[in-house]
């Protein structure tokens, strides 16, 4: 029985409710009146229910679809402006005891190179990442209590935060590790992680169990209830995601939104971010085997409807996607992207040798961080290296209140300008620097608050003189 507040996975992700929602969406996919009513509701910027979102996703009417895209762009502008926050993944270890059939790290795969970074190697990776200009990382590790116990992850986080190389610093470490206990989540919180990210992969229980035939991840309930435990452990910024291409995308789309609604209803705060990964080729994995892969068109529609449905949740797209796809979804609502990424264990300090292969998936957007920053500037976005909120204690419901009232924009845009300036001074190529300085100059008059504007101008001067790390 569907119960949004229940702590039981199969009750807050109720199969019957998902199927009924999909049926409702199918029946109403050309119901112009209903679709326009939903769009009117969405214009209040308070979000939509999973059922309403399912109708928009199904909509086949050209005119209404245009309205969906237009509204997604408006919401993106209203809440996030032009800034795009940059991050990079850091793979600590690809040892894994799970049997996920779509991931090359599954324990039966004997032809990838298994690696686990030592603390010295992590230091080298972090220095390489700092030298690129990164300030925000997403830590990745397989599940392996012997090779990658929590203590190893905690020690690694400590190492990462401790490294100060030239003007570099990693200021926010988000963590993407397997579902764990409340006690372990508490330890991650104490280690000052940013967001805890865990992808559900699919919300369809039977498919989930088939895709995870062995290992602790096989347990659907333990995995699906992980975010509740994380929040109980004090982590109030959590990141959701499904891996599109594993199951019916419609089913997973509705399940994901029900999960978001559950967190808000039961824990008081919705997800901080939602990622939209699509399955990619990798060693031992052929995406053609996953017949539910989605087209670029549907992918864009998913991003647009998510933007409308959960206006307060950041949307993340990785280098799994090509430049062309990323360009399209950036304007439709994506607020965070990775850049210059390596999906190998230890791929930043030194490129992998030809005979080695420790990558989790093939990167589609292979450009360097500087090339991506340059391209974002050209396209009218402001690449941002901001990490201010969590460092200022703006997390969980405090953060959500600021986003909902629109006040966060008073921080995001100035922080984007100041952190971009820092990047331009320390890491950018000549051409990127020129473009970036121009964007900063043009954006300053757009800061609405005169006091904030004055401080930004002063801080930009300070940055010119070598001072660093300003934030609102
Ligand atoms: Fe291990 Fe995660 Fe890959 Fe599954 S998806 S095999 S848990 S690294
Ligand atoms: Fe993100 Fe907060 Fe910085 Fe805005 S001010 S970009 S919400 S960290």
């Amino acid at each position: 029985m569907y119960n949004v507040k229940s702590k039981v996975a199969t009750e807050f992700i109720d199969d019957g409710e998902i199927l009924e929602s999909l049926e409702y969406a199918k029946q109403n996919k050309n119901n112009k009146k209903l679709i326009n009513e939903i769009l009117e509701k969405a214009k209040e910027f308070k979000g939509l229910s999973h059922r309403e979102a399912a109708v928009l996703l199904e909509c086949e009417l050209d005119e209404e679809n245009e309205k969906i895209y237009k509204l997604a762009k408006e919401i993106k502008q209203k809440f996030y402006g032009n800034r795009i926050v940059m991050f990079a993944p850091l793979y600590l270890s690809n040892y894994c005891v799970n049997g996920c059939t779509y991931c090359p790290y599954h324990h039966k795969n004997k032809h990838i190179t298994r690696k686990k970074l030592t603390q010295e190697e992590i230091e080298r990776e972090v220095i390489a990442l700092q030298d690129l200009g990164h300030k925000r990382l997403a830590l990745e590790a397989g599940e392996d209590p012997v090779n990658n116990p929590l203590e190893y992850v905690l020690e690694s986080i400590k190492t990462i935060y401790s490294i100060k190389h030239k003007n570099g610093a990693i200021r926010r470490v988000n963590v993407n590790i397997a579902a764990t206990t409340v006690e372990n989540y508490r330890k991650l919180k104490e280690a000052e992680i940013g967001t805890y990210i865990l992808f559900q992969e699919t919300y369809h229980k039977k498919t989930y169990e088939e895709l995870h035939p062995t290992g602790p991840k096989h347990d659907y309930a333990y995995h699906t209830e992980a975010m509740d435990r994380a929040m109980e452990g004090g982590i109030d910024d959590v990141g959701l995601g499904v891996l599109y291409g594993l199951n019916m995308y419609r089913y997973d789309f509705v399940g994901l939104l029900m999960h978001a609604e559950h967190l808000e209803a039961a824990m008081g705060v919705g997800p901080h971010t939602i990622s939209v990964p699509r399955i990619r080729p990798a060693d031992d994995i052929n995406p053609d085997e996953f017949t539910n892969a989605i087209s670029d068109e549907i992918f864009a529609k998913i991003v647009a409807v998510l933007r409308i449905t959960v206006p307060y949740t950041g949307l993340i797209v990785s280098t799994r996607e090509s430049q062309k796809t990323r360009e399209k979804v950036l304007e439709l609502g994506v607020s965070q992207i990775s850049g210059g990424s390596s999906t190998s264990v230890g791929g930043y300090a030194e490129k992998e040798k030809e005979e080695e292969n420790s990558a989790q998936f093939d990167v589609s957007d292979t450009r360097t961080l500087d090339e991506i920053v340059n391209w974002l500037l050209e396209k009218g976005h402001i690449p941002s290296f901001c990490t201010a909120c969590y460092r200022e204690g703006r997390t969980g419901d405090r953060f959500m209140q600021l986003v909902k009232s629109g006040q966060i924009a008073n921080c995001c845009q100035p922080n984007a300008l100041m952190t971009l300036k820092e990047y331009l001074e320390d890491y950018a190529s000549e051409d990127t620097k020129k473009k970036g300085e121009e964007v900063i100059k043009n954006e300053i008059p757009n800061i609405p608050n005169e006091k904030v504007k004055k401080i930004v101008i002063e801080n930009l001067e300070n940055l010119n003189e070598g001072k660093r790390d300003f934030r609102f």
Side-chain angles (χ1 to χ4, degrees), residues 49-262:
S49 71
H50 59 272
R51 230 170 238 226
E52 291 162 337
V55 173
L56 295 189
L57 191 65
E58 270 314 273
C59 167
E60 285 178 339
L61 306 169
D62 288 344
E63 208 180 307
E64 274 61 37
N65 275 332
E66 279 313 310
K67 288 184 195 167
I68 292 173
Y69 288 121
K70 189 165 166 271
L71 183 58
K73 286 179 196 173
E74 262 173 55
I75 292 181
K76 163 84 201 283
Q77 272 306 317
K78 180 175 163 64
F79 288 97
Y80 302 87
N82 292 341
R83 58 103 182 149
I84 302 289
V85 171
M86 309 298 303
F87 76 98
L90 173 59
Y91 282 76
L92 291 182
S93 164
N94 61 2
Y95 285 92
C96 192
V97 297
N98 286 310
C100 315
T101 57
Y102 51 83
C103 173
Y105 294 172
H106 68 81
H107 73 112
K108 281 195 189 141
N109 188 1
K110 300 290 176 224
H111 29 91
I112 57 162
T113 315
R114 297 286 169 177
K115 288 188 196 170
K116 171 190 168 182
L117 298 179
T118 63
Q119 297 307 309
E120 291 69 38
E121 285 167 337
I122 291 173
E123 196 174 328
R124 283 205 291 278
E125 286 289 275
V126 170
I127 288 173
L129 280 156
Q130 288 184 3
D131 281 344
L132 292 173
H134 279 295
K135 303 283 187 256
R136 178 188 285 246
L137 298 185
L139 226 57
E140 314 272 344
E143 179 167 19
D144 187 326
V146 175
N147 287 299
N148 329 321
L150 189 80
E151 290 64 38
Y152 167 70
V153 176
L154 295 172
E155 193 188 356
S156 304
I157 295 169
K158 216 168 163 188
T159 301
I160 294 167
Y161 278 135
S162 73
I163 296 162
K164 304 280 177 276
H165 167 70
K166 296 184 185 162
N167 284 333
I170 298 300
R171 299 173 182 154
R172 177 175 179 132
V173 179
N174 297 334
V175 173
N176 182 355
I177 60 164
T180 185
T181 58
V182 174
E183 197 194 325
N184 282 347
Y185 285 125
R186 203 162 279 133
K187 289 180 186 164
L188 284 167
K189 170 75 183 171
E190 279 161 18
E192 301 188 348
I193 68 163
T195 311
Y196 171 65
I197 302 158
L198 182 69
F199 296 161
Q200 177 66 28
E201 324 297 6
T202 177
Y203 284 93
H204 189 264
K205 187 168 180 286
K206 188 166 167 287
T207 311
Y208 179 94
E209 285 162 357
E210 285 163 9
L211 290 162
H212 307 98
T214 54
K217 197 168 170 180
H218 178 74
D219 188 336
Y220 177 84
Y222 191 71
H223 190 84
T224 311
E225 292 158 11
M227 292 313 193
D228 295 64
R229 291 195 301 281
M231 287 184 161
E232 253 174 76
I235 298 175
D236 44 16
D237 288 346
V238 300
L240 304 181
V242 290
L243 186 48
Y244 287 106
L246 290 181
N247 191 27
M248 291 182 307
Y249 73 88
R250 295 176 175 90
Y251 190 103
D252 283 329
F253 177 81
V254 173
L256 176 89
L257 292 173
M258 282 166 66
H259 198 173
E261 287 166 8
H262 161 72

